[in-house]
Amino acid sequence: MATDRIDTLLDEQRSFAPPAAFARGAHVRDRAPYERAAHDREGYWADWARQLQWVRPWDRVLEWKPPHAKWFVGGKLNASVNCLDRHVAAGRGDKTAIVWEGEPGEVRRITYSELHADVSRFANVLKGLGVARGDRVAVYMPMVPEVVVAMLACARIGAPHTVVFGGFSAESLRDRINDAQAKVLVTADGGYRRGTVVTLKQHADDAVRDCPSIRHVVVLRRTGQPVPMQPGRDVWWHERTSAAAPQCEPEVMDAEDPLFILYTSGTTGKPKGILHTTGGYLTHVFATTKWVFDLTENDVFWCTADVGWVTGHSYIVYGPLALGVTQVMYEGAPDHPAKDRFWGICARHGVTVFYTAPTAIRAFMKWGVEHPARHDLSQLRLLGTVGEPINPEAWMWYHQHIGKERCPIVDTWWQTETGGIMITPLPGVVTTKPGSATVPFPGIEAKLLDGEGGEVATGGGYLAITSPWPGMLRTIWGDDERYRQQYWTKWPGVYFPGDGAKRDDNGYFWILGRVDDVLNVAGHRIGTMEVESALVDHPAVAEAAVVGKAHDLKGQAIAAFVTLKEGHTTTDALREELKGHVAKKIGALARPDDVLFAADLPKTRSGKIMRRLLKDIAEGRALGDTTTLADPGVVSRLKDQYEERES
Ligand code: PRX
């Protein structure tokens, strides 16, 4: 039906072929893998799985009973063995696995052998606390190497971990622990964030008071601040690990045994416990880490995500460690002690491949080019982004000021639910276009469909994944019905990720944002990303969020919330100029009725703009659920500002 199609307005014509020098040395230099995967998808994924170490090979690659998939049926393996033991056994034990920088400035280097011993010790500690195969362990920690140790120790003994981002409140932690029925919680006395100490243990204590499933709390000493320890329940990490043996026999896990549960709330609703299993997930993240980031022996990879998000699970812990690369891990904020912290880290540790989020890139744009300009970024050879659509101007800024027009950019589309990267350029072969995640990874089948399931060849529609993939979620923990309802009811046997997208004449995918956020102006359905990108195209604008506001004639009118780059001031003239800029760039239809200048936009703790709340403000309603906001003050200030203007 034409009415549920999404109109496309933005016409981005710039394109960038892989630089010749890069393409020459890349893992993938031609289109053969795309053809191989299209011809024999299961055989192709089995080739990847064979690059892992299995205790027993699988009998069947895929069993697909929609909406449930099993990959590598009958295969046995252990994820921690794949991330540690096999590198040590191959004589690579002295290779640095993690170069860690604490926010206060200390640096630790941990080799694969050391990580192996630490993981084994902590696995023994967990066993000593009564954790057995199948038990859940909650992890609520700062970005320190021990969080990786805790996760891999769980994997070693077959206890699924559920990591809760350290910025979440006691209530959020409590709800997740109770949903997962975790037996042990691993936390720390505190962590450093923007120069202050985060009181993790206090939040943990508040949460665990209402968590009857928790038997023990393991506490890492990170900051040294005094914390109460409840006798019989709480134990110190250092005391237990120093008494533990550095060897621990790994559990032999089935390919389909759970590896972890990770809660995602997206921008709405009760958090869903996304369940990932072992063999398929590991295969997917191994394959994508290797080809998308093009990693080889001498690379230094840095994924700036927190391990509390899926990006940290897949591209800090399981992907890079399964591949055996050296990576950087950083504890703190990008602007502490100054706005050049990330670039100092890149230069100090010789980062070659850098992976971050559009929200971070827009902050860098806002802060100004002088910060990266102060550092030697010549080691960088590849850049990546994930988490939101990247506005073409933010892409160009990244390309010019970080990549120095030398580094390809991989814009990677995926989700907590997909486990690994789904739509992305392979940097040695795919020509990139600013704002497009380009094409599906080999072995992934994506289409653009309309509401009836008809394929949209060019133009806007709904993104759909039309066949199962190894890293896919297996269910929602404890709620298989919600799993079916949420992802599999739009079209039979097809996965609906909830995003709108468009395809151009080359078949490239351009993600337009969550379909819940799509605007409907005078019968035209417009993705938020296109209007926001037109705003960000203006030299004064750092970041923009647009929402549809009820309108008598048009159905919806566009309200835009805009933050400016440093050095620009908010004036009525600029407001009018911005409206005109959007009209000129993508059409009069998309001209915002309203532009509000904001110091900050409301975001989730993982940096996604929460348009739902902006809509509440624009329509003069009471604010909806604000519990997943990083800074609830941002919306209340905006609401006051908006109401003042209206009155
Ligand atoms: O809307 C898409 C957006 O983020 C959603 C998934 O969020 P989450 O589960 O938190 O995982 C984020 C890290 C993988 C998607 O449904 N998204 C993610 N990457 C992109 C993106 N939107 C556009 N372009 C991307 N590269």
Side-chain angles (χ1 to χ4, degrees):
M1 226 164 63
T3 49
D4 56 26
R5 290 243 186 140
I6 300 174
D7 288 300
T8 61
L9 304 174
L10 194 70
D11 184 24
E12 175 56 59
Q13 292 293 347
R14 289 168 286 199
S15 71
F16 298 85
F22 186 98
R24 262 196 304 280
H27 280 306
V28 183
R29 287 175 230 153
D30 57 37
R31 302 200 53 84
Y34 291 96
E35 281 146 30
R36 156 104 174 98
H39 180 68
D40 174 16
R41 198 164 47 89
E42 291 184 22
Y44 159 87
W45 282 118
D47 285 350
W48 277 115
R50 269 188 283 276
Q51 296 185 45
L52 300 175
Q53 184 174 315
W54 295 75
V55 180
R56 180 189 186 280
W58 53 91
D59 305 313
R60 279 177 69 192
V61 174
L62 172 66
E63 184 188 299
W64 177 222
K65 295 185 181 149
H68 295 110
K70 289 185 178 159
W71 282 86
F72 309 113
V73 182
K76 307 276 181 199
L77 77 170
N78 181 287
S80 84
V81 168
N82 276 282
C83 292
L84 303 167
D85 306 49
R86 67 178 182 138
H87 305 314
V88 176
R92 301 168 69 230
D94 292 337
K95 178 167 180 168
T96 302
I98 298 174
V99 184
W100 175 81
E101 221 179 272
E103 195 184 75
E106 68 270 54
V107 173
R108 283 167 65 191
R109 278 169 215 285
I110 300 163
T111 65
Y112 274 94
S113 292
E114 288 163 345
L115 193 59
H116 178 263
D118 288 346
V119 166
S120 304
R121 279 192 200 94
F122 196 66
N124 287 325
V125 170
L126 289 174
K127 280 190 182 176
L129 293 173
V131 178
R133 181 182 178 124
D135 288 341
R136 275 80 59 206
V137 173
V139 176
Y140 182 63
M141 292 180 81
M143 278 289 284
V144 291
E146 285 80 1
V147 70
V148 179
V149 171
M151 291 163 75
L152 290 178
C154 289
R156 196 159 191 90
I157 64 172
H161 52 71
T162 182
V163 181
V164 179
F165 172 56
F168 273 126
S169 65
E171 296 91 279
S172 303
L173 176 61
R174 178 197 64 201
D175 293 347
R176 288 159 174 76
I177 291 175
N178 285 336
D179 191 81
Q181 288 289 292
K183 203 169 183 180
V184 164
L185 169 64
V186 186
T187 187
D189 53 358
Y192 293 100
R193 186 77 194 175
R194 204 162 280 124
T196 63
V197 169
V198 185
T199 55
L200 287 172
K201 176 64 164 63
Q202 191 184 319
H203 295 165
D205 285 340
D206 291 345
V208 168
R209 205 170 295 127
D210 298 315
C211 295
S213 63
I214 293 286
R215 309 256 182 88
H216 291 285
V217 178
V218 186
V219 187
L220 175 79
R221 183 172 279 160
R222 164 68 185 122
T223 60
Q225 63 194 312
V227 292
M229 296 289 280
Q230 184 174 308
R233 187 194 72 182
D234 298 356
V235 299
W236 283 109
W237 174 295
H238 59 274
E239 287 178 3
R240 292 287 168 134
T241 49
S242 62
Q247 304 86 26
C248 173
E249 194 55 37
E251 282 288 316
V252 176
M253 304 305 288
D254 192 272
E256 282 298 328
D257 275 331
L259 180 60
F260 64 85
I261 302 166
L262 181 60
Y263 286 85
T264 174
S265 49
T267 45
T268 50
K270 173 179 178 278
K272 304 181 280 270
I274 302 300
L275 180 73
H276 283 289
T277 57
T278 309
Y281 170 81
L282 207 60
T283 301
H284 188 168
V285 297
F286 176 85
T288 46
T289 305
K290 183 164 178 178
W291 276 5
V292 176
F293 300 113
D294 192 51
L295 296 172
T296 52
E297 195 54 33
N298 296 322
D299 275 305
V300 178
F301 180 57
W302 183 19
C303 164
T304 70
D306 192 282
V307 281
W309 312 121
V310 74
T311 308
H313 282 59
S314 300
Y315 300 107
I316 294 178
V317 182
Y318 292 105
L321 296 178
L323 202 60
V325 304
T326 296
Q327 68 178 317
V328 166
M329 187 174 171
Y330 169 56
E331 179 182 35
D335 54 353
H336 188 83
K339 291 178 172 134
D340 63 346
R341 182 67 186 261
F342 273 20
W343 318 122
I345 292 175
C346 285
R348 261 192 300 289
H349 304 301
V351 172
T352 58
V353 181
F354 178 75
Y355 189 36
T356 197
T359 183
I361 297 167
R362 292 186 306 249
F364 304 144
M365 280 173 76
K366 184 173 172 182
W367 295 339
V369 296
E370 62 275 23
H371 303 292
R374 220 174 287 138
H375 297 275
D376 175 10
L377 301 178
S378 61
Q379 297 292 311
L380 285 174
R381 63 181 198 91
L382 175 63
L383 306 175
T385 107
V386 60
E388 279 183 292
I390 181 164
N391 315 112
E393 284 318 309
W395 196 104
M396 288 304 299
W397 187 95
Y398 200 28
H399 171 69
Q400 282 159 358
H401 298 291
I402 308 301
K404 314 285 183 191
E405 302 183 1
R406 187 188 68 236
C407 305
I409 297 180
V410 287
D411 174 358
T412 63
W413 176 88
W414 58 296
Q415 308 179 295
T416 305
E417 291 86 340
T418 70
I421 293 169
M422 302 291 278
I423 301 182
T424 177
L426 291 183
V429 279
V430 175
T431 292
T432 55
K433 302 183 190 182
S436 171
T438 73
V439 295
F441 186 79
I444 301 296
E445 295 183 338
K447 285 194 175 130
L448 211 57
L449 301 181
D450 62 24
E452 265 69 59
E455 187 164 0
V456 179
T458 55
Y462 301 110
L463 185 59
I465 311 296
T466 52
S467 61
W469 65 101
M472 68 186 269
L473 77 164
R474 298 306 195 253
T475 189
I476 293 176
W477 179 255
D479 198 349
D480 198 54
E481 187 47 37
R482 188 171 180 203
Y483 166 72
R484 289 170 184 275
Q485 286 294 331
Q486 181 89 38
Y487 306 109
W488 300 94
T489 48
K490 198 168 181 73
W491 315 283
V494 171
Y495 175 83
F496 177 46
D499 284 346
K502 69 178 180 187
R503 287 190 91 169
D504 66 16
D505 296 338
N506 299 125
Y508 277 31
F509 287 85
W510 301 69
I511 311 299
L512 297 173
R514 305 293 300 167
V515 290
D516 304 337
D517 291 336
V518 164
L519 313 164
N520 195 332
V521 182
H524 295 274
R525 291 164 53 82
I526 304 172
T528 48
M529 186 266 189
E530 301 205 303
V531 186
E532 289 162 3
S533 292
L535 285 160
V536 175
D537 183 67
H538 189 282
V541 176
E543 189 158 45
V546 301
V547 296
K549 163 185 175 173
H551 186 278
D552 290 345
L553 298 176
K554 295 191 270 192
Q556 283 187 337
I558 297 177
F561 295 77
V562 168
T563 65
L564 297 182
K565 288 187 189 148
E566 273 170 18
H568 292 271
T569 44
T570 62
T571 59
D572 285 340
L574 180 59
R575 181 175 290 120
E576 292 312 310
E577 194 178 316
L578 292 179
K579 292 181 187 174
H581 189 77
V582 173
K584 187 160 125 256
K585 180 99 187 152
I586 59 175
L589 174 72
R591 180 189 179 91
D593 276 33
D594 219 350
V595 173
L596 190 85
F597 294 113
D600 275 307
L601 296 175
K603 293 187 184 166
T604 62
R605 289 183 178 78
S606 63
K608 291 195 207 305
I609 297 170
M610 283 187 74
R611 294 181 187 77
R612 175 171 63 77
L613 293 173
L614 293 174
K615 199 169 159 71
D616 289 342
I617 294 175
E619 298 191 331
R621 265 194 306 278
L623 293 175
D625 184 8
T626 58
T627 52
T628 55
L629 275 180
D631 175 4
V634 170
V635 268
S636 48
R637 284 192 294 275
L638 269 178
K639 192 167 164 59
D640 293 346
Q641 199 184 330
Y642 201 86
E643 281 165 3
E644 215 165 277
R645 266 205 36 218
E646 296 284 284
S647 63

